[in-house]
Amino acid sequence: MDQAVGLREKKDTNRNPSISQPLNAFHRPVRVIAVSSGKGGVGKSTVVVNLAVAFDRLGQRVLIMDADLGLANIDIFLGLTPKQNISHVLKGTRQLREVLVNGPGKIRIMPASSGVQELTQLTDEQKLLFLEMLDELETDVDILLIDTAAGISDTVLYFNLAAQERIIVVTPEPTSLTDAYALIKVLHTRNGERHFRILSNAVENDQAGKAIFSKLSKVADHFLDGISLDYLGNIPSDPRIPAALMQQRPFIEVFPNAPAARSFRALAERIQKSSPHNNCGNVRFFWKRLLKI
Ligand SMILES: Nc1ncnc2c1ncn2[C@@H]1O[C@H](COP(=O)(O)OP(=O)(O)OP(=O)(O)O)[C@@H](O)[C@H]1O
Ligand SMILES: [Mg+2]
């Protein structure tokens, strides 16, 4: 079945090479998913790490881009100590492949950290050089997951606009809802972005998860024209999630049978089965949009 899909995609690409996208080894376009929230501390990095492990178990080759300048970075979640980040690549002292760090399974992490802001201020020459290096990665990646910072800074907006799919994480806290709305609103009104996937995190039960989504989508439908919010589901609140973080290990590895671990796996399967709203996305498109080439 998979093979048939691969062949079909390959055939379509051959039919019109002028619009072909760079494809990975299995001839599937890379999915680029930004995970954002508006409010800080609602579980973006938790979602990225656990989703990455769930995707890895599904046989997807995941690259995490840590695009958060804050303290709670992916390397802390996974007990890694990257010595270099994207800024070394931009300075020309390292190749992109050299700054990637291996995570659990086949997951790789691109530590962006202090290089994130520089990424949006490159010279044309640097942009092209960087794109060339990224092309090399294209063949080994199925999913690029971007852990963005909180808030609505220009950098957060850049990553959201450049990504092909956006997951907005919300929690039952009222400010999480208002901040998520503020992010959606600015992406919609300033940049015409219409599709957002909403994930309710740290909820008591399914009903509470859906209730958060209903509130957000009611306000968005009322005030923002042509907006489309999809409910991706929920992750239950579980005190073992911060406990796993203390051990610097992914929660779904430490507590694979916990309901929240099942939710992360179900979430990965749902995303894998769904098709992205915007089919023109892939890693090169993402970087070109991000770097404004
Ligand atoms: N479903 C959950 N149940 C219980 N605790 C959770 C859950 N999800 C996340 N947490 C905890 O909430 C805290 C914040 O999570 P995390 O660091 O992932 O948020 P973040 O949105 O990435 O934060 P920041 O904006 O600072 O980057 C962590 O201690 C994490 O363990
Ligand atoms: Mg974080």
Side-chain angles (χ1 to χ4, degrees):
M1 184 69 182
D2 246 347
Q3 207 182 7
V5 171
L7 288 174
R8 206 164 42 242
E9 284 179 357
K10 191 175 179 195
K11 202 171 155 200
D12 283 352
T13 308
N14 287 341
R15 202 169 46 213
N16 190 352
S18 60
I19 56 159
S20 71
Q21 302 164 5
L23 299 173
N24 56 22
F26 297 114
H27 307 289
R28 281 189 296 247
V30 179
R31 289 180 81 160
V32 182
I33 306 174
V35 178
S36 297
S37 63
K39 183 174 163 47
V42 299
K44 292 177 296 297
S45 305
T46 304
V47 168
V48 165
V49 164
N50 288 287
L51 250 190
V53 176
F55 278 133
D56 181 71
R57 298 275 166 82
L58 290 171
Q60 301 280 316
R61 292 158 312 163
V62 183
L63 175 64
I64 298 177
M65 180 172 179
D66 188 351
D68 191 350
L69 291 162
L71 288 174
N73 285 327
I74 295 293
D75 41 306
I76 295 173
F77 272 71
L78 297 173
L80 306 168
T81 43
K83 291 191 179 64
Q84 283 103 25
N85 60 48
I86 283 191
S87 62
H88 296 91
V89 180
L90 301 178
K91 279 184 207 122
T93 56
R94 286 285 177 275
Q95 291 286 310
L96 188 54
R97 279 185 185 279
E98 293 176 297
V99 306
L100 297 187
V101 181
N102 291 326
K106 293 200 171 96
I107 299 170
R108 287 177 308 161
I109 295 106
M110 186 192 293
S113 306
S114 61
V116 162
Q117 239 146 16
E118 293 166 50
L119 268 180
T120 56
Q121 300 154 3
L122 301 181
T123 64
D124 286 351
E125 204 179 331
Q126 279 176 310
K127 286 178 185 177
L128 288 173
L129 196 84
F130 195 59
L131 265 184
E132 266 170 37
M133 284 191 268
L134 284 160
D135 272 353
E136 279 178 46
L137 289 183
E138 181 89 42
T139 50
D140 328 329
V141 179
D142 295 311
I143 298 181
L144 171 61
L145 279 177
I146 304 159
D147 183 22
T148 74
I152 50 174
S153 67
D154 280 351
T155 316
V156 171
L157 300 182
Y158 276 135
F159 278 101
N160 270 283
L161 292 170
Q164 185 188 13
E165 299 171 63
R166 281 150 291 279
I167 296 179
I168 311 288
V169 182
V170 286
T171 66
E173 279 179 81
T175 48
S176 147
L177 216 56
T178 48
D179 290 1
Y181 177 73
L183 174 64
I184 292 170
K185 185 179 170 188
V186 71
L187 286 166
H188 178 71
T189 50
R190 264 203 237 162
N191 304 93
E193 198 50 69
R194 291 191 299 139
H195 301 292
F196 300 89
R197 293 182 156 157
I198 310 299
L199 176 67
S200 301
N201 184 31
V203 295
E204 287 310 314
N205 49 43
D206 291 348
Q207 212 182 350
K210 280 186 197 135
I212 303 175
F213 171 72
S214 300
K215 270 193 209 163
L216 187 57
S217 95
K218 229 184 202 166
V219 182
D221 283 347
H222 192 258
F223 292 105
L224 308 174
D225 237 10
I227 197 105
S228 142
L229 300 189
D230 287 345
Y231 184 48
L232 254 187
N234 73 77
I235 308 294
S237 175
D238 189 330
R240 290 171 292 181
I241 291 182
L245 176 56
M246 292 300 283
Q247 291 181 38
Q248 297 191 297
R249 289 184 56 201
F251 166 76
I252 69 168
E253 272 190 7
V254 189
F255 302 103
N257 299 319
R262 282 200 287 274
S263 300
F264 279 121
R265 287 193 293 268
L267 178 65
E269 281 170 24
R270 218 169 301 135
I271 295 171
Q272 195 183 31
K273 280 187 197 135
S274 70
S275 45
H277 284 117
N278 170 5
N279 275 317
C280 74
N282 58 36
V283 171
R284 187 168 240 266
F285 269 53
F286 163 73
W287 290 106
K288 286 185 90 166
R289 282 193 296 260
L290 185 73
L291 305 173
K292 294 190 172 158
I293 294 177

